[in-house]
Amino acid sequence: MQETVASALAQLARLDARAAQVAGSALATVTAGQKLETLTQRAVQEFCWFALPVRFCSEATERVFVSQSLGDLFSLLGLDRYAEICTSRPTRDILDAYGVSRDSGLSAYRRAMRGSGVQPPDLPELTWGTTLGSAEIEAYEATSAALELAISLREIRPGTRGWRSAQEQFARTFLAQPDDQGRSRLDRIREERVRNWLSSPSQPHRQRFWPLLGQLINGAEPPHDAARALAPLQRLLDYADDGISMTQIGYISPTVVRELCAEFGWSTSPSPPRSETDVMQLLALNKLLRRMRAVRRSGRRLVLTRRGRRLHADVAALWRAAAEAVLDTDGLGQATTETLFGLLLARSPRSTGSHARADDLDLAEEIRETLVESGWGGENPAKVPETHEVHSIMITVTWLLETLGFVTGHHTDAEPGNRRLTTSGRAFALTAMHLSATVPYATV
């Protein structure tokens, strides 16, 4: 094949020596010095629409000349599809957009990449990151190559009606195909991300979660009683669908508060409650829905967002969104909640002995000790968390878990070491930890 490239370059040089020179250099960049057989449509597009204008040529006419010369070389090699990309009107328009501004060029490049069909799409089960590990790079490149083949065979037709759904289904099927070891590319990506998450130097407390590796990779499906567990959230969404009246200072109407307390049997002090602030269960649910971006304030009413309407109609999506939102924090809040879930997951429903720890040990102090022992705060005493800080975060989370029936025991129990996750609670905690551990560091 190298002889074929050399012959084509010689032929081009007889027509235009400078074109042959720049085309040879461009081809070496596109193939990264590999054999011509490794060339892909995505690589050609990335070069013409991004690398060429951003990294190599600042002069507009030179960009066009390089792209045209590479297209001529591809034509001589019989690679007509790639030649067309280099010499097409869309490529010229993208290069012209860089002449307006870098941002204009980058926007045009991203639109064209998505529209070409060879860029692997984000899926509900996988959002591609910008910081990729080796397994994810291999999967991304393999998926792109498979999409290119499907497009060339007209199994996917970019630009036609419904093509994006066909592209997503193709990518999903491809990523889920098991190899000879029974593991799919999606499995390998998840394992890679979980391992990186557990090994994060900025989150040393996660080292304690290594025994949960397999469970964190697999996550958990919503349990059969997910709808019953999420009933309080669903009920709040029901109210928000009609619009919840709010007080002048922004709290949920006392009438709605009392109706919810009566429906779910929430104990309050005083009883009946005078305000939302008297009902910790409702405060926890309202905070979660806001973090989920499922509700918003509109004047003196709390209403559903567009996302809230989608979640209202789909129990599985609501389950996933709630689990994702409960760990959508940062700093000490995230570390505390992760450690709480990790400690509870390590306890079986009837666990005793070393895994249960001492029943008279306050759970907040247990979490704090875990964080400090793992190196949280480093050598700076000011960053070492206090028990009251951890307790404030933990109590908000445990109120939510209790309200949804995910944990046994009650916040007033004298023996917090007796707390255990219910079956649904284990599924929820695993889903939350799995989603946190498998999310990419950054997204496209």
Side-chain angles (χ1 to χ4, degrees):
M1 186 59 73
Q2 291 301 106
E3 293 79 5
T4 302
V5 173
S7 176
L9 284 171
Q11 189 175 348
L12 182 58
R14 287 194 289 271
L15 300 173
D16 188 330
R18 183 165 175 269
Q21 181 182 13
V22 300
S25 297
L27 182 63
T29 300
V30 175
T31 60
Q34 301 298 311
K35 295 180 179 180
L36 192 62
E37 292 89 339
T38 64
L39 191 62
T40 65
Q41 180 179 335
R42 184 177 62 86
V44 174
Q45 292 175 176
E46 289 278 2
F47 175 79
C48 291
W49 301 344
F50 176 75
L52 175 61
V54 171
R55 298 177 180 169
F56 295 106
C57 294
S58 58
E59 217 286 312
T61 56
E62 184 66 12
R63 296 170 185 161
V64 174
F65 178 73
V66 173
S67 179
Q68 182 68 52
S69 298
L70 181 59
D72 291 342
L73 177 59
F74 283 145
S75 292
L76 292 170
L77 289 169
L79 301 174
D80 295 334
R81 285 195 304 113
Y82 297 162
E84 184 178 355
I85 292 170
C86 296
T87 60
S88 67
R89 182 73 251 180
T91 293
R92 179 71 67 91
D93 290 342
I94 293 169
L95 295 177
D96 288 345
Y98 281 99
V100 176
S101 71
R102 178 188 174 96
D103 286 345
S104 296
L106 290 174
S107 294
Y109 147 69
R110 293 185 183 112
R111 286 194 302 272
M113 284 298 295
R114 288 192 295 269
S116 70
V118 298
Q119 177 175 286
D122 288 336
L123 305 170
E125 60 270 38
L126 174 66
T127 297
W128 298 100
T130 53
T131 303
L132 309 183
S134 58
E136 191 164 353
I137 290 173
E138 188 281 328
Y140 191 88
E141 292 178 346
T143 304
S144 179
L147 286 167
E148 178 181 349
L149 179 60
I151 291 169
S152 69
L153 295 174
R154 309 210 28 103
E155 295 175 4
I156 301 173
R157 302 183 182 187
T160 62
R161 184 173 182 176
W163 79 270
R164 292 193 185 277
S165 295
Q167 181 202 38
E168 289 182 8
Q169 184 57 48
F170 181 92
R172 178 177 292 107
T173 301
F174 180 80
L175 287 166
Q177 288 177 348
D179 58 17
D180 54 5
Q181 297 178 341
R183 301 175 65 207
S184 69
R185 288 183 170 88
L186 185 57
D187 293 332
R188 294 184 183 279
I189 292 172
R190 285 173 173 166
E191 179 176 351
E192 181 175 67
R193 289 184 178 181
V194 170
R195 287 182 178 277
N196 289 337
W197 185 84
L198 290 170
S199 303
S200 172
S202 63
Q203 304 290 343
H205 63 283
R206 292 175 182 165
Q207 293 288 336
R208 296 286 297 271
F209 306 153
W210 277 103
L212 300 172
L213 175 64
Q215 296 178 69
L216 294 179
I217 292 171
N218 295 326
E221 293 297 320
H224 66 88
D225 60 347
R228 184 179 65 183
L230 297 178
L233 276 177
Q234 283 280 21
R235 196 71 184 98
L236 259 181
L237 292 176
D238 289 341
Y239 276 105
D241 195 19
D242 295 327
I244 302 175
S245 297
M246 305 185 73
T247 65
Q248 189 171 358
I249 58 175
Y251 292 122
I252 290 175
S253 159
T255 300
V256 174
V257 171
R258 287 190 287 269
E259 288 176 357
L260 286 168
C261 286
E263 181 174 351
F264 293 105
W266 294 335
S267 60
T268 64
S269 180
S271 181
R274 297 164 300 186
S275 162
E276 177 185 350
T277 58
D278 296 329
V279 188
M280 289 297 294
Q281 298 92 333
L282 186 53
L283 288 173
L285 294 174
N286 195 359
K287 181 179 180 180
L288 183 66
L289 286 177
R290 290 176 184 273
R291 191 180 290 171
M292 290 161 59
R293 303 185 308 280
V295 296
R296 64 179 177 84
R297 185 171 177 175
S298 177
R300 292 276 296 274
R301 298 172 73 80
L302 193 67
V303 299
L304 288 182
T305 62
R306 183 178 300 179
R307 184 169 192 253
R309 292 189 183 281
R310 291 199 303 270
L311 297 177
H312 190 202
D314 188 335
V315 172
L318 181 61
W319 176 275
R320 179 185 174 94
E324 185 175 35
V326 79
L327 279 176
D328 185 18
T329 55
D330 53 25
L332 182 60
Q334 180 176 350
T336 297
T337 306
E338 287 177 356
T339 304
L340 171 65
F341 283 174
L343 290 173
L344 293 177
L345 284 168
R347 300 173 176 178
S348 70
R350 298 182 179 83
S351 63
T352 57
S354 60
H355 287 294
R357 303 286 297 267
D359 281 348
D360 59 352
L361 180 64
D362 182 85
L363 189 53
E365 180 59 22
E366 186 176 357
I367 294 171
R368 193 193 76 86
E369 287 184 2
T370 300
L371 295 177
V372 173
E373 288 170 6
S374 67
W376 182 268
E379 299 179 357
N380 186 351
K383 292 185 177 180
V384 175
E386 299 289 343
T387 301
H388 71 86
E389 294 178 289
V390 174
H391 183 267
S392 178
I393 297 166
M394 186 205 76
I395 199 66
T396 301
V397 180
T398 52
W399 266 111
L400 176 66
L401 296 179
E402 288 176 12
T403 302
L404 298 178
F406 289 156
V407 68
T408 61
H410 190 270
H411 72 287
T412 59
D413 283 354
E415 296 183 341
N418 282 329
R419 285 187 184 276
R420 300 289 182 271
L421 290 170
T422 63
T423 300
S424 295
R426 290 188 66 84
F428 184 80
L430 278 175
T431 300
M433 297 278 274
H434 169 80
L435 291 174
S436 179
T438 56
V439 72
Y441 289 117
T443 57
V444 176

